[in-house]
């Protein structure tokens, strides 16, 4: 089954001169495919900008961000796969031709929108955390290109597979991995992801607190499945508040002390 998301907000260029879409036959550059049958719960994001080798241009990024925003609200989605509709290409990275047409301010806005969508944004910070400082410097200073086998040996990718005649061996390996995730408890998987992602941003003591918060929420959903959606939503909001409080600590406000100091003697 193929389902193309209808974007809630039409894309508008950041500047008057704009850039034309490179989608096939003027179609959407991002499509969403919800799989059925034994693959139900797996959703694919299909990248379709052949003339630019799926480079991240403004139309592409806008449609992708909108699709992700809608998929976050879809509880039927268990696993999300990114797939290229362009044979022999996954994604060429940022669209440098479009960037040449931007002002300095527009480049800044565009880069902010790319953060979180591509790994080479913030690479000087992410790569040392993954490989260590020495090897990260070597790769960044030399600009060395790595094969899939080399990337796998370094731990940059989880799997490396031999290509097949159809050119989609990596896709089939990704879908097989998605099928391993499907039967697992959805809330536990979701909160496990939160605990890992958020815990990596803080020290281990704070990370253990985040894990405890997520674990408590998982236990609540398992023990009280009949509670109302509003009650579960309130618990989720409370857990999110405490996680954010750990990640973004603020100076405490001693209101009681202030009240006492303003009281007349």
């Amino acid at each position: 089954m193929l389902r193309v998301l209808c974007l809630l907000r039409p894309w508008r260029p950041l500047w008057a001169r704009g850039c034309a879409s490179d989608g096939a036959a003027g179609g959407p550059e991002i499509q969403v495919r919800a799989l059925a049958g034994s693959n139900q719960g797996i959703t694919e994001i299909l990248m379709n900008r052949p003339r630019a080798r799926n480079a991240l241009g403004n139309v592409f990024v806008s449609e992708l961000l909108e699709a992700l925003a809608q998929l976050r609200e879809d509880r039927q989605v268990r696993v999300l796969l990114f797939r290229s509709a362009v044979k022999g290409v996954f994604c060429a990275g940022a669209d440098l031709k479009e960037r040449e047409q931007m002002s300095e301010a527009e480049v800044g806005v565009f880069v902010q929108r790319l953060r979180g969508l591509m790994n080479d944004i913030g690479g000087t910070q992410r790569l040392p955390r993954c490989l260590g400082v020495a090897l990260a410097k070597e790769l960044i200073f030399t600009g060395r290109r790595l094969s899939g086998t080399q990337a796998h040996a370094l731990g940059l990718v989880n799997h490396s597979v031999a290509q097949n005649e159809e050119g989609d061996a990596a896709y089939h390996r990704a879908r097989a991995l998605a099928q391993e995730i499907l039967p697992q408890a959805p809330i536990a998987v979701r909160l496990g992801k939160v605990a890992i992602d958020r815990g990596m941003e803080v020290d281990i003591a704070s990370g253990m607190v985040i894990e405890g918060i997520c674990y408590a929420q998982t236990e609540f959903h398992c023990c009280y499945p009949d509670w109302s959606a509003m009650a579960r939503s309130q618990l989720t909001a409370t857990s999110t508040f405490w996680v954010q409080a750990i990640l973004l600590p603020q100076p405490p406000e001693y209101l009681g002390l202030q009240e006492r100091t303003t009281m007349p003697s």
Side-chain angles (χ1 to χ4, degrees):
M1 146 177 149
L2 182 64
R3 173 169 56 92
V4 178
L5 287 178
C6 297
L7 302 185
L8 297 178
R9 298 181 298 276
W11 178 82
R12 291 180 175 82
L14 293 174
W15 56 93
R17 56 185 177 272
C19 293
S21 169
D22 288 326
E29 296 181 2
I30 296 295
Q31 299 176 6
V32 174
R33 186 196 308 268
L35 303 187
S38 62
N39 293 310
Q40 186 172 358
I42 301 175
T43 296
E44 298 175 357
I45 284 187
L46 200 65
M47 301 179 292
N48 186 34
R49 196 184 178 202
R51 287 188 292 176
R53 298 173 61 85
N54 287 341
L56 301 176
N58 276 286
V59 174
F60 187 101
V61 170
S62 294
E63 292 184 1
L64 179 55
L65 291 174
E66 189 65 50
L68 290 173
Q70 294 190 40
L71 288 171
R72 286 190 188 98
E73 304 301 322
D74 189 347
R75 292 304 180 187
Q76 300 302 314
V77 178
R78 296 288 312 283
V79 185
L80 185 61
L81 298 181
F82 283 81
R83 185 183 186 186
S84 173
V86 183
K87 189 173 182 178
V89 173
F90 183 72
C91 177
D95 192 326
L96 301 181
K97 292 182 179 180
E98 280 195 7
R99 288 186 63 170
E100 290 177 354
Q101 302 177 33
M102 300 180 190
S103 67
E104 185 175 346
E106 291 166 349
V107 169
V109 173
F110 184 62
V111 169
Q112 287 299 320
R113 299 174 74 223
L114 286 181
R115 289 192 181 278
L117 293 181
M118 53 188 299
N119 289 331
D120 57 350
I121 296 293
T124 60
Q125 302 305 306
R126 294 174 178 169
L127 200 59
R129 287 166 169 79
C130 180
L131 300 179
V133 173
L135 187 53
K137 285 182 176 179
E138 178 181 332
L139 294 177
I140 290 173
F141 294 170
T142 61
R144 186 180 304 148
R145 293 188 177 186
L146 301 177
S147 66
T149 302
Q150 291 172 323
H152 180 246
L154 291 175
L156 289 175
V157 298
N158 289 4
H159 304 280
S160 177
V161 295
Q163 188 60 281
N164 57 19
E165 293 183 1
E166 293 76 17
D168 59 357
Y171 164 70
H172 285 290
R173 182 64 188 90
R175 198 168 73 178
L177 180 58
Q179 289 171 334
E180 288 187 65
I181 298 173
L182 273 182
Q184 309 308 318
I187 295 172
V189 171
R190 187 181 309 124
L191 292 175
K193 180 180 179 181
V194 171
I196 293 171
D197 291 346
R198 298 304 189 185
M200 288 300 294
E201 299 174 8
V202 297
D203 61 88
I204 190 167
S206 300
M208 294 299 289
V209 175
I210 292 174
E211 180 186 276
I213 293 171
C214 292
Y215 181 77
Q217 188 173 338
T218 302
E219 286 291 293
F220 174 85
H221 282 277
C222 292
C223 297
Y224 301 99
D226 296 330
W227 269 45
S228 68
M230 179 176 293
R232 291 196 298 270
S233 176
Q234 289 173 344
L235 178 66
T236 300
T238 302
S239 300
T240 302
F241 168 80
W242 284 111
V243 170
Q244 291 175 342
I246 294 170
L247 294 176
L248 301 172
Q250 299 294 330
E253 296 183 9
Y254 300 105
L255 298 179
L257 179 60
Q258 293 174 2
E259 291 171 358
R260 284 195 295 273
T261 56
T262 56
M263 288 178 64
S265 57

